[in-house]
Amino acid sequence: MVDEGASGLLPVAPRPLWQRALPVVVLAAITAAQLATPNGVELGYFLAAVPPLAAFAYGPLGTVVLATVTFVGVLLPHTRDWYPHPGDILTLAVVVVFSVVVARVRQRRDHQLVTVRTVAEAAQLAVLPPLPAAVGPVRCAGLYQAAQRGTLVGGDFYDVREGPHGVRAVIADVQGHGLAAVGTVASLLGAFREAVLDEPTLPGVAARLDRRLVTDAGADGHGELFATALLLEFPPGEPVVRVVSCGHPRPFLLRGRGAAELAAEPAPPLGLGLAGLAPPRELRVELAEGDRILAYTDGVTEARDGAGAFYPLAERLAALAPRDGRAPGDGPATRDGLVTLTEAVRDDLVRYAGRAKDDVALLALAADRPR
């Protein structure tokens, strides 16, 4: 953000160049047009438009400077029959005063918006901080796009943490989206981070999250609060990944030039109080060198094109996945390759369906094979 500081000539927030140039261009154009018109034709009263235009592009001091230039242009003697009437000068003076007031109010409002935006971004990033390039032996890349404009966090979230039982990851979609879901997201993230340290199994982590959501729903009187979640675990010293799904879309395993959906059996969503009655089953998958896992939320596959057709992620994923310039099995997937993968899916989704109407989250993971 650019602050006017002592000069007051620059806008609080960067304005487009055309907006800053517009008052000057209008001033010059009206003056030139007046000098070029026949005697007796008055265009000078159009100069009253310059101060209001300046108020929307500059601060109070910048508005005063342009208004002063306008007054000078009106009052200077001319070689032609262009002489402002006293009523015109009074009208222009009132417009200038009004414009300076508007510029001051706009400047203060911009400062307030900057402050609020900064605090909101800090709070949202505290809830969902950027993923590191690697967590233990697992490289990761996440991409998030909230459906609600101007927000960084909504109803989808992901996280990757290392604990005594290996590296664990979660991607989830809570009921609702936008800022209304941030409280639930924060609660589930806190429960997940504690469970990574305490729970010896992935079904135990799922049960902890389910209990957290049931407790929160009861305390808030919100009996229908639920969330889908996918949990993954990379145990230490084993070339495997364990997967547990709680009503969440199945992830994809990208191996070589192919992409296959992992057959994780979905358990009921979190928040229904069923974790103890119907615990989720754990899927164990052997990993090869260079394997990548892509998890996502239903904002991806439920996006529609103009004809109403859903986005076919399974059909397009293999073609979108980067190869990192290597043949299958030549080496581990790189962090840049994972970032490229998530961005390729996002870009293809935008081309297919336009701006997403639901929160979209993508999480790409790749683990080094133990030596």
Side-chain angles (χ1 to χ4, degrees), residues 177-201:
H177 59 265
L179 294 176
V182 172
T184 304
V185 168
S187 180
L188 286 176
L189 274 172
F192 170 74
R193 291 164 184 171
E194 289 293 326
V196 165
L197 302 176
D198 299 336
E199 296 292 339
T201 66

Side-chain angles (χ1 to χ4, degrees), residues 146-343:
Q148 184 173 331
R149 292 181 182 271
T151 61
L152 304 177
V153 180
D156 296 356
F157 69 90
Y158 48 73
D159 198 13
V160 183
R161 297 279 163 165
E162 187 172 20
H165 308 288
V167 176
R168 287 170 170 172
V170 61
I171 183 169
D173 181 0
V174 308
Q175 180 188 19
H177 59 265
L179 294 176
V182 172
T184 304
V185 168
S187 180
L188 286 176
L189 274 172
F192 170 74
R193 291 164 184 171
E194 289 293 326
V196 165
L197 302 176
D198 299 336
E199 296 292 339
T201 66
L202 274 188
V205 176
R208 178 79 70 92
L209 298 180
D210 179 76
R211 185 179 66 184
R212 177 74 271 163
L213 205 53
V214 170
T215 301
D216 289 350
D220 297 340
H222 195 331
E224 299 178 355
L225 188 62
F226 67 91
T228 66
L230 183 76
L231 299 166
L232 303 103
E233 178 182 275
F234 299 86
E238 296 184 62
V240 302
V241 60
R242 298 186 179 119
V243 183
V244 161
S245 173
C246 297
H248 200 82
R250 293 172 174 174
F252 285 91
L253 174 66
L254 289 85
R255 175 173 294 172
R257 299 186 181 276
E261 197 174 59
L262 294 180
E265 183 177 339
L270 303 174
L272 302 182
L274 301 177
L277 300 177
R281 295 186 180 181
E282 186 178 273
L283 174 69
R284 186 177 186 274
V285 179
E286 295 281 345
L287 295 177
E289 192 77 34
D291 282 356
R292 294 150 291 167
I293 295 174
L294 180 69
Y296 60 96
T297 56
D298 60 11
V300 176
T301 50
E302 292 183 359
R304 299 172 184 255
D305 63 6
F310 291 111
Y311 177 68
L313 177 61
E315 300 173 12
R316 303 165 81 107
L317 184 55
L320 295 173
R323 302 286 178 265
D324 291 341
R326 297 189 299 270
D330 280 356
T334 65
R335 155 73 173 183
D336 289 343
L338 296 178
V339 172
T340 303
L341 170 61
T342 58
E343 291 178 347

